């Protein structure tokens, strides 16, 4: 199926580009975090820019969508995850994102004791665990005694915006309804989010950035298919496809200055092909 670019006017907060653009607004980002945590946060500071400047972060890194810390130096990584496919391995993806945050902190020359509390938060418009809950909160505990916590500071939170249970705040429910179907309630946070979405759509710079980004993705996928067909005739279909995808990933890495893993994610390379593609990069 040919790759199609979603119309700029049709983007919602579920779309990766729009989600990142909206969450650049500090007050909105803080408001979303407060809704998820159901507690106030005095202030947040963005860490993404300084993170991208660290040269040692590219070998096995990821580009984090929303990467901030609060006044207590707790770190938050917030990701919009709309794909619900087996090869995405969401639990392993959570683990990997956590590991990259830890590696970055240690890369600054710090000791293990300096690893701070981190929350990796995935917002999913589907239920990845089938319990019907709105919010899944994971911390490391002892298998023999659930009351014994490891206290390693690693927390993983998964939001199911289609949850049917109770026990969440009206603020969080309003946010989830907006993510699901764009429902604009009287909730101030939701209204501010929607206003920001429309403001982004009116921004010509953002529109051009989006189109450029999507065109690069389309061209990379096309290059991968062409290279795969050529190599397939010469060396076998599977090997040719692998080389083609590696070439497309390499092109995407150069164009967007992203990591190997992020390029493979953007190109939606199947999990079974990823080790072979990595070996060629």
């Amino acid at each position: 199926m040919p790759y199609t670019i979603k119309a700029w006017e049709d983007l919602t907060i579920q779309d990766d580009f729009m989600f990142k653009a909206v969450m650049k607004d500090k007050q909105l980002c803080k408001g979303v975090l407060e809704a998820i945590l159901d507690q106030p946060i005095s202030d947040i500071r963005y860490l993404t820019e300084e993170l991208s400047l660290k040269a040692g972060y590219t070998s096995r890194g990821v580009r984090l969508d929303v990467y901030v810390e609060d006044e207590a130096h707790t770190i938050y990584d917030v990701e919009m995850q709309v794909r619900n496919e087996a090869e995405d391995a969401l639990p392993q993806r959570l683990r990997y994102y956590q590991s990259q945050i830890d590696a970055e902190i240690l890369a600054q020359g710090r000791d293990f004791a300096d690893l701070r509390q981190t929350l990796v938060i995935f917002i999913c418009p589907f239920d990845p665990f089938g319990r019907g809950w709105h919010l899944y909160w994971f911390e490391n505990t002892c298998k023999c005694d659930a009351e014994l916590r490891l206290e390693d500071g690693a927390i993983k939170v998964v939001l199911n915006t289609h949850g049917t249970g109770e026990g969440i705040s009206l603020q969080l429910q309003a946010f989830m309804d907006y993510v699901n179907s764009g429902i604009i309630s009287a909730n101030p946070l939701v209204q501010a989010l929607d206003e920001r979405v429309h403001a982004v759509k009116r921004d010509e710079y953002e529109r051009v950035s989006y189109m450029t980004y999507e065109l690069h993705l389309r061209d990379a996928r096309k290059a991968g298919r062409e290279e795969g067909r050529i190599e397939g005739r010469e060396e076998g279909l599977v090997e040719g496809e692998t080389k083609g995808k590696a070439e497309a990933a390499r092109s995407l890495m150069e164009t967007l200055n992203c990591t190997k893993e992020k390029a493979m994610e953007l190109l939606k390379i199947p999990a079974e092909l990823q080790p072979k593609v990595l070996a060629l990069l």
Side-chain angles (χ1 to χ4, degrees), residues 69-99:
E69 70 172 357
D70 64 16
E71 73 283 358
H73 302 296
T74 295
I75 293 176
Y76 304 91
D77 167 38
V78 188
E79 308 284 331
M80 183 68 71
Q81 294 287 328
V82 299
R83 283 165 53 87
N84 184 19
E85 299 180 18
E87 66 265 22
D88 284 341
L90 187 140
Q92 286 75 20
R93 186 181 292 270
L94 282 161
R95 172 180 170 181
Y96 186 66
Y97 276 58
Q98 175 68 60
S99 71

PDB file of all heavy atoms in Angstrom, residues 69-99:
ATOM      1  N   GLU A  69      11.632  17.548  33.544  1.00  0.00           N
ATOM      2  CA  GLU A  69      11.789  17.236  34.962  1.00  0.00           C
ATOM      3  C   GLU A  69      11.040  18.281  35.771  1.00  0.00           C
ATOM      4  O   GLU A  69      10.852  19.423  35.330  1.00  0.00           O
ATOM      5  CB  GLU A  69      13.256  17.197  35.375  1.00  0.00           C
ATOM      6  CG  GLU A  69      13.949  18.542  35.382  1.00  0.00           C
ATOM      7  CD  GLU A  69      15.356  18.477  35.978  1.00  0.00           C
ATOM      8  OE1 GLU A  69      15.761  17.394  36.433  1.00  0.00           O
ATOM      9  OE2 GLU A  69      16.039  19.526  35.977  1.00  0.00           O
ATOM     10  N   ASP A  70      10.595  17.882  36.975  1.00  0.00           N
ATOM     11  CA  ASP A  70       9.870  18.826  37.823  1.00  0.00           C
ATOM     12  C   ASP A  70      10.809  19.428  38.866  1.00  0.00           C
ATOM     13  O   ASP A  70      12.026  19.201  38.839  1.00  0.00           O
ATOM     14  CB  ASP A  70       8.651  18.164  38.476  1.00  0.00           C
ATOM     15  CG  ASP A  70       9.027  17.032  39.435  1.00  0.00           C
ATOM     16  OD1 ASP A  70      10.216  16.936  39.837  1.00  0.00           O
ATOM     17  OD2 ASP A  70       8.132  16.247  39.793  1.00  0.00           O
ATOM     18  N   GLU A  71      10.216  20.193  39.793  1.00  0.00           N
ATOM     19  CA  GLU A  71      11.034  20.901  40.779  1.00  0.00           C
ATOM     20  C   GLU A  71      11.751  19.947  41.733  1.00  0.00           C
ATOM     21  O   GLU A  71      12.758  20.315  42.344  1.00  0.00           O
ATOM     22  CB  GLU A  71      10.168  21.888  41.574  1.00  0.00           C
ATOM     23  CG  GLU A  71       9.212  21.252  42.579  1.00  0.00           C
ATOM     24  CD  GLU A  71       7.960  20.650  41.926  1.00  0.00           C
ATOM     25  OE1 GLU A  71       7.825  20.763  40.696  1.00  0.00           O
ATOM     26  OE2 GLU A  71       7.136  20.070  42.656  1.00  0.00           O
ATOM     27  N   ALA A  72      11.237  18.706  41.860  1.00  0.00           N
ATOM     28  CA  ALA A  72      11.875  17.707  42.720  1.00  0.00           C
ATOM     29  C   ALA A  72      12.878  16.852  41.942  1.00  0.00           C
ATOM     30  O   ALA A  72      13.387  15.858  42.462  1.00  0.00           O
ATOM     31  CB  ALA A  72      10.814  16.813  43.363  1.00  0.00           C
ATOM     32  N   HIS A  73      13.124  17.227  40.680  1.00  0.00           N
ATOM     33  CA  HIS A  73      14.058  16.538  39.788  1.00  0.00           C
ATOM     34  C   HIS A  73      13.579  15.145  39.381  1.00  0.00           C
ATOM     35  O   HIS A  73      14.387  14.300  38.980  1.00  0.00           O
ATOM     36  CB  HIS A  73      15.457  16.456  40.408  1.00  0.00           C
ATOM     37  CG  HIS A  73      16.048  17.793  40.738  1.00  0.00           C
ATOM     38  ND1 HIS A  73      16.354  18.736  39.780  1.00  0.00           N
ATOM     39  CD2 HIS A  73      16.340  18.365  41.936  1.00  0.00           C
ATOM     40  CE1 HIS A  73      16.820  19.826  40.355  1.00  0.00           C
ATOM     41  NE2 HIS A  73      16.826  19.639  41.662  1.00  0.00           N
ATOM     42  N   THR A  74      12.272  14.914  39.497  1.00  0.00           N
ATOM     43  CA  THR A  74      11.690  13.698  38.923  1.00  0.00           C
ATOM     44  C   THR A  74      11.609  13.898  37.411  1.00  0.00           C
ATOM     45  O   THR A  74      11.201  14.953  36.931  1.00  0.00           O
ATOM     46  CB  THR A  74      10.286  13.448  39.484  1.00  0.00           C
ATOM     47  OG1 THR A  74      10.393  13.190  40.891  1.00  0.00           O
ATOM     48  CG2 THR A  74       9.624  12.243  38.813  1.00  0.00           C
ATOM     49  N   ILE A  75      11.997  12.891  36.673  1.00  0.00           N
ATOM     50  CA  ILE A  75      12.032  12.977  35.214  1.00  0.00           C
ATOM     51  C   ILE A  75      10.792  12.310  34.627  1.00  0.00           C
ATOM     52  O   ILE A  75      10.386  11.231  35.061  1.00  0.00           O
ATOM     53  CB  ILE A  75      13.308  12.314  34.658  1.00  0.00           C
ATOM     54  CG1 ILE A  75      14.538  13.118  35.070  1.00  0.00           C
ATOM     55  CG2 ILE A  75      13.240  12.177  33.143  1.00  0.00           C
ATOM     56  CD1 ILE A  75      15.848  12.499  34.651  1.00  0.00           C
ATOM     57  N   TYR A  76      10.213  12.957  33.613  1.00  0.00           N
ATOM     58  CA  TYR A  76       9.038  12.418  32.933  1.00  0.00           C
ATOM     59  C   TYR A  76       9.315  12.308  31.436  1.00  0.00           C
ATOM     60  O   TYR A  76       9.818  13.252  30.813  1.00  0.00           O
ATOM     61  CB  TYR A  76       7.824  13.332  33.128  1.00  0.00           C
ATOM     62  CG  TYR A  76       7.472  13.610  34.573  1.00  0.00           C
ATOM     63  CD1 TYR A  76       8.017  14.707  35.234  1.00  0.00           C
ATOM     64  CD2 TYR A  76       6.599  12.783  35.268  1.00  0.00           C
ATOM     65  CE1 TYR A  76       7.701  14.975  36.562  1.00  0.00           C
ATOM     66  CE2 TYR A  76       6.277  13.039  36.597  1.00  0.00           C
ATOM     67  CZ  TYR A  76       6.835  14.136  37.233  1.00  0.00           C
ATOM     68  OH  TYR A  76       6.522  14.399  38.549  1.00  0.00           O
ATOM     69  N   ASP A  77       9.003  11.151  30.886  1.00  0.00           N
ATOM     70  CA  ASP A  77       9.007  10.979  29.432  1.00  0.00           C
ATOM     71  C   ASP A  77       7.591  10.604  29.032  1.00  0.00           C
ATOM     72  O   ASP A  77       7.074   9.572  29.470  1.00  0.00           O
ATOM     73  CB  ASP A  77       9.988   9.877  29.021  1.00  0.00           C
ATOM     74  CG  ASP A  77       9.793   9.444  27.574  1.00  0.00           C
ATOM     75  OD1 ASP A  77       9.511  10.323  26.737  1.00  0.00           O
ATOM     76  OD2 ASP A  77       9.906   8.232  27.291  1.00  0.00           O
ATOM     77  N   VAL A  78       6.943  11.428  28.210  1.00  0.00           N
ATOM     78  CA  VAL A  78       5.552  11.185  27.816  1.00  0.00           C
ATOM     79  C   VAL A  78       5.517  10.903  26.318  1.00  0.00           C
ATOM     80  O   VAL A  78       6.023  11.706  25.519  1.00  0.00           O
ATOM     81  CB  VAL A  78       4.653  12.396  28.139  1.00  0.00           C
ATOM     82  CG1 VAL A  78       3.187  12.037  27.909  1.00  0.00           C
ATOM     83  CG2 VAL A  78       4.870  12.862  29.581  1.00  0.00           C
ATOM     84  N   GLU A  79       4.913   9.780  25.936  1.00  0.00           N
ATOM     85  CA  GLU A  79       4.854   9.363  24.534  1.00  0.00           C
ATOM     86  C   GLU A  79       3.411   9.051  24.139  1.00  0.00           C
ATOM     87  O   GLU A  79       2.669   8.428  24.907  1.00  0.00           O
ATOM     88  CB  GLU A  79       5.707   8.102  24.321  1.00  0.00           C
ATOM     89  CG  GLU A  79       7.136   8.198  24.828  1.00  0.00           C
ATOM     90  CD  GLU A  79       8.024   9.028  23.935  1.00  0.00           C
ATOM     91  OE1 GLU A  79       7.766   9.083  22.722  1.00  0.00           O
ATOM     92  OE2 GLU A  79       8.991   9.633  24.459  1.00  0.00           O
ATOM     93  N   MET A  80       3.031   9.481  22.949  1.00  0.00           N
ATOM     94  CA  MET A  80       1.742   9.090  22.382  1.00  0.00           C
ATOM     95  C   MET A  80       1.970   7.825  21.558  1.00  0.00           C
ATOM     96  O   MET A  80       2.727   7.835  20.591  1.00  0.00           O
ATOM     97  CB  MET A  80       1.183  10.207  21.500  1.00  0.00           C
ATOM     98  CG  MET A  80      -0.195   9.918  20.922  1.00  0.00           C
ATOM     99  SD  MET A  80      -1.535   9.870  22.146  1.00  0.00           S
ATOM    100  CE  MET A  80      -1.672  11.620  22.574  1.00  0.00           C
ATOM    101  N   GLN A  81       1.321   6.734  21.954  1.00  0.00           N
ATOM    102  CA  GLN A  81       1.494   5.450  21.279  1.00  0.00           C
ATOM    103  C   GLN A  81       0.158   5.018  20.687  1.00  0.00           C
ATOM    104  O   GLN A  81      -0.723   4.535  21.398  1.00  0.00           O
ATOM    105  CB  GLN A  81       1.990   4.390  22.274  1.00  0.00           C
ATOM    106  CG  GLN A  81       3.381   4.645  22.821  1.00  0.00           C
ATOM    107  CD  GLN A  81       4.468   4.371  21.802  1.00  0.00           C
ATOM    108  OE1 GLN A  81       4.334   3.495  20.952  1.00  0.00           O
ATOM    109  NE2 GLN A  81       5.551   5.117  21.877  1.00  0.00           N
ATOM    110  N   VAL A  82       0.000   5.186  19.382  1.00  0.00           N
ATOM    111  CA  VAL A  82      -1.294   4.873  18.763  1.00  0.00           C
ATOM    112  C   VAL A  82      -1.317   3.517  18.076  1.00  0.00           C
ATOM    113  O   VAL A  82      -2.388   3.004  17.741  1.00  0.00           O
ATOM    114  CB  VAL A  82      -1.695   5.970  17.745  1.00  0.00           C
ATOM    115  CG1 VAL A  82      -1.831   7.307  18.439  1.00  0.00           C
ATOM    116  CG2 VAL A  82      -0.683   6.057  16.607  1.00  0.00           C
ATOM    117  N   ARG A  83      -0.148   2.929  17.835  1.00  0.00           N
ATOM    118  CA  ARG A  83      -0.103   1.618  17.166  1.00  0.00           C
ATOM    119  C   ARG A  83      -0.344   0.506  18.169  1.00  0.00           C
ATOM    120  O   ARG A  83       0.292   0.449  19.203  1.00  0.00           O
ATOM    121  CB  ARG A  83       1.251   1.415  16.481  1.00  0.00           C
ATOM    122  CG  ARG A  83       1.401   2.188  15.169  1.00  0.00           C
ATOM    123  CD  ARG A  83       2.854   2.233  14.737  1.00  0.00           C
ATOM    124  NE  ARG A  83       3.458   0.920  14.681  1.00  0.00           N
ATOM    125  CZ  ARG A  83       3.412   0.111  13.620  1.00  0.00           C
ATOM    126  NH1 ARG A  83       2.773   0.494  12.536  1.00  0.00           N
ATOM    127  NH2 ARG A  83       4.020  -1.058  13.619  1.00  0.00           N
ATOM    128  N   ASN A  84      -1.249  -0.395  17.831  1.00  0.00           N
ATOM    129  CA  ASN A  84      -1.576  -1.529  18.698  1.00  0.00           C
ATOM    130  C   ASN A  84      -1.325  -2.809  17.925  1.00  0.00           C
ATOM    131  O   ASN A  84      -2.242  -3.504  17.508  1.00  0.00           O
ATOM    132  CB  ASN A  84      -3.032  -1.456  19.160  1.00  0.00           C
ATOM    133  CG  ASN A  84      -3.396  -2.567  20.134  1.00  0.00           C
ATOM    134  OD1 ASN A  84      -2.513  -3.176  20.737  1.00  0.00           O
ATOM    135  ND2 ASN A  84      -4.678  -2.830  20.288  1.00  0.00           N
ATOM    136  N   GLU A  85      -0.046  -3.109  17.700  1.00  0.00           N
ATOM    137  CA  GLU A  85       0.333  -4.277  16.939  1.00  0.00           C
ATOM    138  C   GLU A  85       1.340  -5.091  17.728  1.00  0.00           C
ATOM    139  O   GLU A  85       2.157  -4.550  18.464  1.00  0.00           O
ATOM    140  CB  GLU A  85       0.910  -3.876  15.576  1.00  0.00           C
ATOM    141  CG  GLU A  85      -0.090  -3.100  14.714  1.00  0.00           C
ATOM    142  CD  GLU A  85       0.489  -2.710  13.374  1.00  0.00           C
ATOM    143  OE1 GLU A  85       1.506  -3.305  12.977  1.00  0.00           O
ATOM    144  OE2 GLU A  85      -0.075  -1.816  12.720  1.00  0.00           O
ATOM    145  N   ALA A  86       1.283  -6.403  17.544  1.00  0.00           N
ATOM    146  CA  ALA A  86       2.100  -7.311  18.349  1.00  0.00           C
ATOM    147  C   ALA A  86       3.585  -7.014  18.231  1.00  0.00           C
ATOM    148  O   ALA A  86       4.328  -7.090  19.214  1.00  0.00           O
ATOM    149  CB  ALA A  86       1.813  -8.758  17.942  1.00  0.00           C
ATOM    150  N   GLU A  87       4.053  -6.647  17.013  1.00  0.00           N
ATOM    151  CA  GLU A  87       5.489  -6.453  16.846  1.00  0.00           C
ATOM    152  C   GLU A  87       6.005  -5.217  17.558  1.00  0.00           C
ATOM    153  O   GLU A  87       7.199  -5.025  17.685  1.00  0.00           O
ATOM    154  CB  GLU A  87       5.841  -6.377  15.349  1.00  0.00           C
ATOM    155  CG  GLU A  87       5.291  -5.163  14.616  1.00  0.00           C
ATOM    156  CD  GLU A  87       3.979  -5.436  13.913  1.00  0.00           C
ATOM    157  OE1 GLU A  87       3.281  -6.392  14.308  1.00  0.00           O
ATOM    158  OE2 GLU A  87       3.636  -4.700  12.977  1.00  0.00           O
ATOM    159  N   ASP A  88       5.099  -4.351  17.993  1.00  0.00           N
ATOM    160  CA  ASP A  88       5.536  -3.154  18.704  1.00  0.00           C
ATOM    161  C   ASP A  88       6.033  -3.471  20.113  1.00  0.00           C
ATOM    162  O   ASP A  88       6.768  -2.685  20.700  1.00  0.00           O
ATOM    163  CB  ASP A  88       4.400  -2.131  18.776  1.00  0.00           C
ATOM    164  CG  ASP A  88       4.201  -1.414  17.451  1.00  0.00           C
ATOM    165  OD1 ASP A  88       5.138  -1.443  16.633  1.00  0.00           O
ATOM    166  OD2 ASP A  88       3.132  -0.858  17.221  1.00  0.00           O
ATOM    167  N   ALA A  89       5.613  -4.611  20.683  1.00  0.00           N
ATOM    168  CA  ALA A  89       6.119  -5.065  21.981  1.00  0.00           C
ATOM    169  C   ALA A  89       6.130  -3.933  23.001  1.00  0.00           C
ATOM    170  O   ALA A  89       7.183  -3.519  23.483  1.00  0.00           O
ATOM    171  CB  ALA A  89       7.514  -5.669  21.826  1.00  0.00           C
ATOM    172  N   LEU A  90       4.951  -3.432  23.358  1.00  0.00           N
ATOM    173  CA  LEU A  90       4.856  -2.252  24.207  1.00  0.00           C
ATOM    174  C   LEU A  90       5.587  -2.393  25.537  1.00  0.00           C
ATOM    175  O   LEU A  90       6.300  -1.471  25.946  1.00  0.00           O
ATOM    176  CB  LEU A  90       3.379  -1.888  24.423  1.00  0.00           C
ATOM    177  CG  LEU A  90       3.114  -0.575  25.161  1.00  0.00           C
ATOM    178  CD1 LEU A  90       1.952   0.171  24.535  1.00  0.00           C
ATOM    179  CD2 LEU A  90       2.824  -0.846  26.630  1.00  0.00           C
ATOM    180  N   PRO A  91       5.476  -3.531  26.256  1.00  0.00           N
ATOM    181  CA  PRO A  91       6.226  -3.638  27.521  1.00  0.00           C
ATOM    182  C   PRO A  91       7.735  -3.515  27.323  1.00  0.00           C
ATOM    183  O   PRO A  91       8.418  -2.851  28.121  1.00  0.00           O
ATOM    184  CB  PRO A  91       5.844  -5.039  28.034  1.00  0.00           C
ATOM    185  CG  PRO A  91       4.503  -5.297  27.427  1.00  0.00           C
ATOM    186  CD  PRO A  91       4.575  -4.697  26.066  1.00  0.00           C
ATOM    187  N   GLN A  92       8.253  -4.136  26.266  1.00  0.00           N
ATOM    188  CA  GLN A  92       9.683  -4.038  25.996  1.00  0.00           C
ATOM    189  C   GLN A  92      10.069  -2.624  25.567  1.00  0.00           C
ATOM    190  O   GLN A  92      11.165  -2.145  25.867  1.00  0.00           O
ATOM    191  CB  GLN A  92      10.090  -5.050  24.914  1.00  0.00           C
ATOM    192  CG  GLN A  92      10.128  -6.490  25.373  1.00  0.00           C
ATOM    193  CD  GLN A  92       8.739  -7.097  25.539  1.00  0.00           C
ATOM    194  OE1 GLN A  92       7.760  -6.600  24.978  1.00  0.00           O
ATOM    195  NE2 GLN A  92       8.660  -8.182  26.288  1.00  0.00           N
ATOM    196  N   ARG A  93       9.152  -1.959  24.878  1.00  0.00           N
ATOM    197  CA  ARG A  93       9.404  -0.569  24.486  1.00  0.00           C
ATOM    198  C   ARG A  93       9.516   0.318  25.733  1.00  0.00           C
ATOM    199  O   ARG A  93      10.384   1.186  25.817  1.00  0.00           O
ATOM    200  CB  ARG A  93       8.287  -0.083  23.570  1.00  0.00           C
ATOM    201  CG  ARG A  93       8.517   1.299  22.987  1.00  0.00           C
ATOM    202  CD  ARG A  93       7.329   1.694  22.120  1.00  0.00           C
ATOM    203  NE  ARG A  93       7.237   0.878  20.926  1.00  0.00           N
ATOM    204  CZ  ARG A  93       7.823   1.179  19.780  1.00  0.00           C
ATOM    205  NH1 ARG A  93       8.532   2.282  19.682  1.00  0.00           N
ATOM    206  NH2 ARG A  93       7.695   0.393  18.728  1.00  0.00           N
ATOM    207  N   LEU A  94       8.644   0.095  26.713  1.00  0.00           N
ATOM    208  CA  LEU A  94       8.728   0.828  27.975  1.00  0.00           C
ATOM    209  C   LEU A  94      10.080   0.601  28.643  1.00  0.00           C
ATOM    210  O   LEU A  94      10.727   1.535  29.122  1.00  0.00           O
ATOM    211  CB  LEU A  94       7.601   0.377  28.908  1.00  0.00           C
ATOM    212  CG  LEU A  94       6.204   0.936  28.639  1.00  0.00           C
ATOM    213  CD1 LEU A  94       5.158   0.061  29.326  1.00  0.00           C
ATOM    214  CD2 LEU A  94       6.086   2.376  29.124  1.00  0.00           C
ATOM    215  N   ARG A  95      10.478  -0.648  28.671  1.00  0.00           N
ATOM    216  CA  ARG A  95      11.764  -1.007  29.282  1.00  0.00           C
ATOM    217  C   ARG A  95      12.919  -0.306  28.574  1.00  0.00           C
ATOM    218  O   ARG A  95      13.855   0.211  29.210  1.00  0.00           O
ATOM    219  CB  ARG A  95      11.941  -2.527  29.220  1.00  0.00           C
ATOM    220  CG  ARG A  95      13.307  -3.034  29.639  1.00  0.00           C
ATOM    221  CD  ARG A  95      13.345  -4.550  29.530  1.00  0.00           C
ATOM    222  NE  ARG A  95      14.690  -5.063  29.693  1.00  0.00           N
ATOM    223  CZ  ARG A  95      15.007  -6.360  29.614  1.00  0.00           C
ATOM    224  NH1 ARG A  95      14.040  -7.253  29.387  1.00  0.00           N
ATOM    225  NH2 ARG A  95      16.239  -6.756  29.759  1.00  0.00           N
ATOM    226  N   TYR A  96      12.873  -0.260  27.245  1.00  0.00           N
ATOM    227  CA  TYR A  96      13.952   0.336  26.471  1.00  0.00           C
ATOM    228  C   TYR A  96      14.036   1.845  26.700  1.00  0.00           C
ATOM    229  O   TYR A  96      15.121   2.398  26.876  1.00  0.00           O
ATOM    230  CB  TYR A  96      13.749   0.028  24.992  1.00  0.00           C
ATOM    231  CG  TYR A  96      14.892   0.489  24.131  1.00  0.00           C
ATOM    232  CD1 TYR A  96      16.156  -0.088  24.265  1.00  0.00           C
ATOM    233  CD2 TYR A  96      14.727   1.501  23.199  1.00  0.00           C
ATOM    234  CE1 TYR A  96      17.213   0.331  23.494  1.00  0.00           C
ATOM    235  CE2 TYR A  96      15.786   1.929  22.424  1.00  0.00           C
ATOM    236  CZ  TYR A  96      17.034   1.338  22.558  1.00  0.00           C
ATOM    237  OH  TYR A  96      18.078   1.756  21.798  1.00  0.00           O
ATOM    238  N   TYR A  97      12.888   2.519  26.706  1.00  0.00           N
ATOM    239  CA  TYR A  97      12.893   3.953  26.948  1.00  0.00           C
ATOM    240  C   TYR A  97      13.478   4.258  28.332  1.00  0.00           C
ATOM    241  O   TYR A  97      14.241   5.198  28.512  1.00  0.00           O
ATOM    242  CB  TYR A  97      11.480   4.518  26.836  1.00  0.00           C
ATOM    243  CG  TYR A  97      11.058   4.846  25.415  1.00  0.00           C
ATOM    244  CD1 TYR A  97      11.060   3.881  24.423  1.00  0.00           C
ATOM    245  CD2 TYR A  97      10.659   6.131  25.069  1.00  0.00           C
ATOM    246  CE1 TYR A  97      10.677   4.174  23.129  1.00  0.00           C
ATOM    247  CE2 TYR A  97      10.271   6.449  23.775  1.00  0.00           C
ATOM    248  CZ  TYR A  97      10.288   5.452  22.806  1.00  0.00           C
ATOM    249  OH  TYR A  97       9.925   5.752  21.525  1.00  0.00           O
ATOM    250  N   GLN A  98      13.089   3.464  29.328  1.00  0.00           N
ATOM    251  CA  GLN A  98      13.610   3.641  30.670  1.00  0.00           C
ATOM    252  C   GLN A  98      15.137   3.492  30.682  1.00  0.00           C
ATOM    253  O   GLN A  98      15.857   4.281  31.301  1.00  0.00           O
ATOM    254  CB  GLN A  98      12.990   2.622  31.615  1.00  0.00           C
ATOM    255  CG  GLN A  98      13.547   2.632  33.032  1.00  0.00           C
ATOM    256  CD  GLN A  98      13.180   3.896  33.777  1.00  0.00           C
ATOM    257  OE1 GLN A  98      12.012   4.175  33.952  1.00  0.00           O
ATOM    258  NE2 GLN A  98      14.181   4.663  34.197  1.00  0.00           N
ATOM    259  N   SER A  99      15.625   2.469  29.979  1.00  0.00           N
ATOM    260  CA  SER A  99      17.063   2.212  29.964  1.00  0.00           C
ATOM    261  C   SER A  99      17.831   3.364  29.326  1.00  0.00           C
ATOM    262  O   SER A  99      18.946   3.692  29.758  1.00  0.00           O
ATOM    263  CB  SER A  99      17.362   0.903  29.217  1.00  0.00           C
ATOM    264  OG  SER A  99      17.142   1.039  27.816  1.00  0.00           O
TER     265      SER A  99
END
